[in-house]
Amino acid sequence: MANLRGEVLNLYRNLLYLGREYPKGADYFRSRLKAAFLKNKDVKDPEKIKQLIARGEFVIKELEALYYLRKYRAMKQRYYEGDNRNK
């Protein structure tokens, strides 16, 4: 059980770190993240906890994809801005 606790804490830290760049703001993300973790604080079944950890890891992947896409769009807009005007 202690191992799962460490995984949950690590997941929470990683999500907090990723939430700093969230489009709606870090405070919005932090409050939603805290609410999600508090909602599941009474779960004792190790299998259910593992499912919730897997869901959190999926959210991490989605956030990373969101950030990469945002950076790609910004770069594309900067570098290909002039091409659209000439067509």
Side-chain angles (χ1 to χ4, degrees):
M1 192 70 166
N3 187 25
L4 288 177
R5 177 176 167 77
E7 285 186 50
V8 170
L9 289 174
N10 192 28
L11 177 67
Y12 188 78
R13 281 189 211 111
N14 288 340
L15 284 166
L16 263 179
Y17 179 78
L18 287 173
R20 295 182 313 163
E21 296 181 34
Y22 195 68
K24 289 188 177 183
D27 292 333
Y28 173 82
F29 186 85
R30 188 179 310 116
S31 65
R32 300 282 304 258
L33 178 64
K34 184 177 180 181
F37 272 76
L38 287 177
K39 182 178 81 171
N40 295 308
K41 74 177 183 175
D42 295 326
V43 175
K44 303 291 184 200
D45 181 30
E47 290 301 316
K48 179 67 175 169
I49 294 172
K50 288 178 185 177
Q51 288 177 351
L52 292 168
I53 290 171
R55 183 175 179 193
E57 290 171 351
F58 174 77
V59 170
I60 286 175
K61 289 177 186 176
E62 289 293 314
L63 283 171
E64 289 172 343
L66 173 72
Y67 296 154
Y68 288 136
L69 183 61
R70 186 174 68 183
K71 289 177 184 177
Y72 169 76
R73 285 181 178 162
M75 287 178 58
K76 183 177 177 185
Q77 187 177 26
R78 284 184 199 132
Y79 292 108
Y80 298 109
E81 186 175 295
D83 292 346
N84 292 337
R85 288 186 222 162
N86 295 335
K87 290 182 180 179

